[in-house]
Every structure is written in C-alpha cells, then in structure tokens.
Amino acid sequence: MPSQVQPARRRVSIERTINAAVEDVWELWTTKEGIESWWGPDGFVVKVRRLDFRLGGELLYAMTATAPEQIDFLKKAGMPLTTESLVSYTDIVPLRRLGFTQMADFIPGVKPYEVATTIEFEPIPQGVHLVLTLDAMHDEHWTQLAVMGWEMELGKLAKVLKPI
C-alpha cells in the first residue's frame, strides 16, 4: 500500500507575556472552568462537554456563536452556529508545555485535517512568557483567521487572570 505521509506544514508562533502566576495560567488551560472562562474568539461561548486532561486524553467542547456579527458570518458561510471540537493531548509537562491536536473539520468544501498546537509556559519576573505554535491551515486566509482567533483568545486569557 502506498504511504500516506503528509508533507510537513509551516508552523506559526504567537508570543505573549502575561502578568500572572504560571500556576494560574496553567489552570486556565487545563480545567473545565478555566477553559470555559476564555476559550473561543469574541462573540462565541465555549462549553466543555468532556475533559480527560492527561497524555492521550481528550477535551470535547462546543463553541456557539452568540454575537450578531458572528452569527451572520456563519450563516452566510453555510456553517452551523455551534460546532463541537475534539482536542487530543499529545504533550503535557506541568507548568511548562502543553501540546494537542485538533481536527479542522468545520471549513465548508475542505476535507478535514489535523492541526497541532503547542504552548510553552516560561515563568519570568513579570509573570509568564507564552509561546503558542500551531500548524498553518490549508491556505493563507484560514491561517490568518486562526492566528487572529488565537491572538483574541490570548487577550481574553490575560483579562481573566489576577495580575501578580
């Protein structure tokens, strides 16, 4: 049988310094309450359906558009207002690194594919330096949408944390 090895995709990184304790930042990435408090772009709400936070474990969440602009965008694109996503944890080093894969299966006309994401947590005197690295999407437009989404989400993450 021929090999189905996919070519390596370009990776994109986003860096942020968050004025908070690394333990507090980690908790927001690894608990139901934490994830629901910030995950998802503006105009969406996220509900965790299942969380098994361990290497090989999974996070199942539903993201629902709640703002008129996002609802209108999704309707015009022929996309549902609520999508479920399954995250599989591939790397966990407590308080230092978190890795997961997720299926991009919500894009009309595009065959589903896996996107890998890694977050590095580096404690620094001002708080935590985060480096989020993700696979580029299938084209530049969707890659930019993914980056904009993560930048927005990291802004939301910083807002729910207590400064140190």
Side-chain angles (χ1 to χ4, degrees), residues 70-135:
Q70 283 74 5
I71 291 170
D72 189 49
F73 171 82
L74 291 173
K75 284 183 176 177
K76 286 180 178 169
M79 297 169 71
L81 299 185
T82 298
T83 56
E84 281 198 343
S85 293
L86 183 65
V87 167
S88 297
Y89 293 109
T90 57
D91 189 11
I92 298 174
V93 179
L95 306 177
R96 299 297 293 175
R97 188 174 54 251
L98 176 60
F100 56 85
T101 58
Q102 184 169 4
M103 289 302 290
D105 58 2
F106 51 85
I107 306 163
V110 175
K111 185 179 173 185
Y113 59 93
E114 198 171 74
V115 177
T117 304
T118 303
I119 305 93
E120 299 278 346
F121 302 77
E122 180 188 351
I124 57 174
Q126 329 56 319
V128 182
H129 182 74
L130 282 186
V131 179
L132 184 145
T133 304
L134 66 146
D135 287 340

Side-chain angles (χ1 to χ4, degrees), residues 18 20-39 48 51 53 59 89 98 121 130 153-154 156-162:
I18 298 177
V22 69
E23 295 83 2
D24 295 340
V25 177
W26 180 259
E27 185 175 320
L28 291 184
W29 283 91
T30 60
T31 64
K32 176 184 187 300
E33 298 76 19
I35 292 165
E36 289 179 347
S37 73
W38 69 274
W39 198 290
V48 173
L51 175 61
F53 185 71
L59 160 66
Y89 293 109
L98 176 60
F121 302 77
L130 282 186
E153 289 175 90
L154 292 175
K156 287 172 62 177
L157 172 80
K159 287 179 189 168
V160 300
L161 286 158
K162 295 180 306 203

